[in-house]
Structure formats: C-alpha cells, structure tokens
Amino acid sequence: MTRVESRPVLSVKNLQITSKDPFFQLVKGVSFEIKQGHRLALVGESGSGKSLICRAISGLLPQGLSSFADEMSLQNGTEKINLCHNSKQEKLSGFIGYVFQEPMSALNPVLPVGRQVQEAIEHEPGTWSEKKQRVLYWLDKVKLPSPETTYKKYPHQLSGGQRQRIVIAMAMIKNPILLIADEPTTALDVIVQAEIVELIAELCREGRTSLLFVSHDLDLVAKFCTDILVIRHGEKVEYGDLKAVIRKPNHPYTRALLLSKPRLDHKPLRLPVVSDFIGEKNTLNSAAKAGFVSDVHQQKTRHPVVTLRSIYKVYRQSNNFTEAISGLDLVMFSGETVGLVGPSGCGKSTLARILCGIEKPDSGEVIIHWQGRRADVVQLVFQDPFSSLNPALSIGNQVMEPLIAKGISRDTARKEAMEMLKITGIEPERFSDYPHRFSGGQRQRIAIARALILKPALVVLDESVAALDVSVQAVVINLLNDLKDAFGLSYLFITHNLVIAQYFCDKILVMYQGKIVDSWSGKLPESLQHPFSQRLFQVVRG
C-alpha cells in the first residue's frame, strides 16, 4: 500500500525580516513547511529571530519591522491564504491560534477569564448562552477545575499554569488549523511544564491541528514534536525530522545546544558552551581568567554564614490566611551551594526575601554570622534582569550605585565597577551603555556584577537562569562557579529545575507548601520520601 504524504498546511519560502531605521536584516532567507498534523519545533538562542518568524506569520510584526517572502501561505482545505498580504491579525484569527510566553501579559487583569475566552468567538453565530457553554466546554477540555467557577475568576486568582491553560483555550476555541506556541512553558515549574506540553500535544492530535512550537530546550521538544528547525543569528542551520537531527546533528551549533544542558547522570567540571563548538571567541572573562585574587581570607574550615530557626510567614488578605513558610530550619555554610527546588507558590521566593531582609518573618530567628568580615552579607539576583535593571541608567552607574550608597567616592566606585564588569564578562568600554543594548545573558551578568560589588558572603539566586536559553545558561553557570571559587561565596540557588540544581549544587532541598520535605547531598538518592519529590524525579527522568 502506498503511503499518502500529508500536505503542507504552512509554507514559508525565503522569509526575510528587516528593521527600517536603522536598516538591519534580522531574519535571513528562512524556508520551512509544516504538514497537516505535524509539530515543528523552532529552536534557537535568545535573539535568533524565533519570535519574529512567528509574528510575521501571524501579521503581528511590531512597527518599524517589515517582512518579505517568496511565499508565506496557509492552506485551508482548497483555499490558499497568502500571509504576505495579511497585515491585520484579526483576518487570521480563525485560522491561526497563538499562545504567548507570559500569560499574565496576554490577559486583561480587570476582566473575568471566561469572558476573555468568550471574546474570541463574540462575532460568531449563536446566542450568548450557547457561546458561554462552548467556553465552559473548552475550560473543561484544557483541564481547569470547576469550569463554572473558573469562568468568573480574574487572572490574578489563578496560578501560572492555570493562566496558561486559559490562553490555550482562547487560542484553540476557534479550531485553528495552525497553533503557534511561543515559549509557552518558560516561567512554569517542570511538573506544570510537562502538563502544559502534554495538553498542547493532545489538543493538536485531536483536532489535527498543526503546531509551531518555539523553544530553546531540545530535551523538551524531543518529547512531542515531529520536526525541527534550528536557527541562529536569523539563519537556518538545521532542518528536518526531529529524531534524526537529535540522533545525528550536522551543525556544530545544534551539537552545542544538545551538550550545553546539564544531565542527571553526568557532572563535568565545566559545562560545554557554544564557543567550544563554533570556534568563536568566548568574550567571557571569568574571575579566574581575569586574574582576580579575592581580598577575603579563605578559611579551610567551613563556618556558618546564615542560620534560620523555626521560620513562619503568613500572608493575610481580608479573612484569608496563607501560610507561605511553616517552621523552616536552615543552616548555610561558607563556600556551599544549596539548591532550593519546589513548585510555584511553595514559598521559595518568600524565603529569599526574608534572607535578604526585604520581608520579616512572623516568628523565628534569622541569624547572620558576620564574622567581622563584610558589611553586606546577603545579596539577591532576580529571575528577570531586564525588570531588575533601571532602563534609564547606564549599566556602569547601576553597578556603582551600591558602593556610592556606602559613601565610597565616585572615582573609586567607577574603578571597582569596571573591574567587576570585566570579571563577569562585560567589556569595560560598554560601561556607559544602557540595559536594552545587551542580550538576556549579558543583562544577567550585569545583575550578578551589581550583586557582587559589595563582596557578600551569600548570594541568593532566585530563578536567575530560568529565563535564559540553554547555551547562555551554561555560560552563566560556569561564571557563577568561577566567582564562587574566586570570592569564597555561598549560593542559595532557587529553581524549578532539578537537573540544573543537581549539577550546580552541593546540597538540594525540596520545598513544598512552606516546608522542606526532602534533602540530599551529592548523588540523587534512589528513593525520595515525599510524593512531590517522587513526581519531580519521574518528570525529569522522562
């Protein structure tokens, strides 16, 4: 029997995207197709052009950018829709569904989520009641609890995973022939991430909907996509059957993406980075390469840096009480990296804020062991460096700021800030540049430089590599290890990702509903005590 090849639903030939002022080519002649029912992974590092390709297909390119293609079309039965001539997204809304990376920014905060889903079918035939029933059907289909109750809730009343399910329902309720999912799981913990990916794949299979799934995580897309397109600097470097590409990648960049990510069963001294494979110059000057010698006396014996005793923290809103941290004990030692793993809402970030003095516990003790060494023992590096850096201040001024606040002269502060930027891999000549001129990985290095300028004993890293693609993530983790050795630092590494924690940390704590429910040092134990820990282990093992 002759196998009938499924037809292309989306065809893109020689797509080019340029900025007008100044003129710059952002996407350079990319071609691909997605067949009916197929799931294409669009993979590449931040800034490679992935989201721009999705926006060009959907008619959502921002002002100042323009696209050209020899062909960019969508096949709807016998009808061929020329996407090159569709500048308005509403013309395509019945054919293309779009799931954005951050659901909170895609949802209206002052409108119940059910009404927002219903808006997608507002202009279709049928009564208001019939449309509401259709919405309730989809709320149930995306596995939200109690659809009638969820319909009336506002976005802030839902978890991150639930908000993402609402956005998926909005995208799928019109039964599109193509679904575009642009990094839809980046901000979610690994268990919710697995559930969302499974849900998207299931809905696409049921509706024979083709999928364009944007990610920088090859391990993630390998679980459910059929094909892959790898791009770098706006150019196609690899394209084909996903299993074949992962089994035998042709391009060194694809090999770098596969090897940059830590593995549970392998712990090399340093993670491979893209420059190891591409032959490009690695601009990162680590603390060791810069010849930095810490002015802190390195003691051979470990001593406590911070001790937490029976910490409780309760949040009160009207008559509702949420116990964020419940009787937590923790001792951190000098030169130690402790990983704190747990689901969203378990109390990880609350603990970080208490450690840094941003919040106070309702009861319990926070003991900082000063040792007569440093004035600012604990510093914090946030998840999103773009939000934590002031867009109106040069990066040099932001790194200097903590020193000036301590009464150090501007000349001395400038000299120390330039040295710290050099240590963290930012060229000193970029001292006067502003945050928007740097990549995500560079901005995170700047945030690290600002945290280290006061020479703390403990650095709290609150999801500090979660938003970075795997290749940049490897560079930042290598840098953090270099800085730990050079400065004698301790880290509290807060993360959703057990694999990264297992590579980077000396000790791992699993937090659930405000309590530490599991802990281990070194090798991952054969059996874990808590059901959440067991589920987490199952997900990362695949």
Side-chain angles (χ1 to χ4, degrees), residues 114-333:
R115 289 289 298 120
Q116 295 187 58
V117 177
Q118 197 162 327
E119 279 184 345
I121 53 172
E122 202 65 49
H123 300 293
E124 293 191 6
T127 65
W128 189 92
S129 179
E130 288 170 343
K131 290 172 185 175
K132 181 180 177 181
Q133 288 305 311
R134 189 169 157 191
V135 171
L136 295 175
Y137 167 81
W138 272 98
L139 295 183
D140 182 62
K141 199 165 181 62
V142 297
K143 301 176 183 177
L144 282 161
S146 183
E148 278 279 6
T149 304
T150 301
Y151 182 97
K152 301 171 186 176
K153 288 186 175 180
Y154 292 84
H156 72 274
Q157 296 175 301
L158 303 177
S159 70
Q162 288 173 330
R163 287 194 292 265
Q164 198 60 286
R165 290 172 190 271
I166 291 292
V167 175
I168 292 168
M170 290 173 70
M172 293 296 290
I173 195 168
K174 296 187 80 169
N175 299 312
I177 56 177
L178 174 68
L179 177 66
I180 298 174
D182 189 356
E183 299 271 15
T185 62
T186 300
L188 305 176
D189 69 66
V190 289
I191 291 178
V192 178
Q193 182 185 80
E195 291 170 352
I196 293 297
V197 165
E198 190 177 308
L199 173 65
I200 290 173
E202 179 185 322
L203 293 176
C204 287
R205 281 192 297 266
E206 285 180 7
R208 292 285 287 163
T209 302
S210 300
L211 174 67
L212 177 58
F213 190 92
V214 178
S215 181
H216 55 249
D217 190 339
L218 279 171
D219 285 349
L220 177 67
V221 300
K223 294 176 182 176
F224 73 102
C225 286
T226 55
D227 307 285
I228 188 168
L229 169 63
V230 182
I231 64 170
R232 185 166 190 250
H233 300 329
E235 296 183 90
K236 177 171 71 176
V237 298
E238 195 112 42
Y239 175 52
D241 177 79
L242 186 140
K243 289 182 179 177
V245 168
I246 287 181
R247 186 169 57 248
K248 192 176 180 181
N250 291 318
H251 198 277
Y253 176 65
T254 312
R255 291 198 290 274
L257 288 180
L258 285 164
L259 294 172
S260 295
K261 192 169 184 178
R263 307 285 168 181
L264 276 176
D265 56 353
H266 183 51
K267 193 168 183 176
L269 188 62
R270 297 181 72 77
L271 290 173
V273 297
V274 170
S275 58
D276 297 334
F277 297 84
I278 302 291
E280 295 176 349
K281 181 183 176 183
N282 187 353
T283 58
L284 179 63
N285 293 314
S286 70
K289 291 175 185 175
F292 180 80
V293 179
S294 174
D295 60 355
V296 179
H297 176 63
Q298 300 296 307
Q299 300 185 25
K300 291 184 179 179
T301 56
R302 294 197 316 159
H303 55 78
V305 173
V306 63
T307 300
L308 304 180
R309 290 180 183 164
S310 195
I311 298 295
Y312 284 86
K313 180 65 181 179
V314 177
Y315 290 111
R316 299 166 179 82
Q317 187 175 19
S318 299
N319 294 323
N320 296 321
F321 297 85
T322 303
E323 195 170 58
I325 299 181
S326 179
L328 187 141
D329 296 306
L330 174 66
V331 180
M332 288 196 62
F333 292 90

Side-chain angles (χ1 to χ4, degrees), residues 356-374:
C356 297
I358 299 170
E359 291 193 25
K360 292 183 178 180
D362 293 318
S363 64
E365 288 184 286
V366 179
I367 304 168
I368 303 295
H369 302 275
W370 298 95
Q371 299 292 324
R373 301 177 302 123
R374 302 172 188 181

Side-chain angles (χ1 to χ4, degrees), residues 9-33:
V9 166
L10 175 70
S11 297
V12 176
K13 294 179 182 176
N14 191 30
L15 173 62
Q16 300 173 56
I17 301 174
T18 57
S19 63
K20 297 175 183 176
D21 187 21
F23 179 83
F24 188 76
Q25 195 167 20
L26 301 165
V27 174
K28 306 164 186 176
V30 171
S31 301
F32 63 95
E33 64 180 25

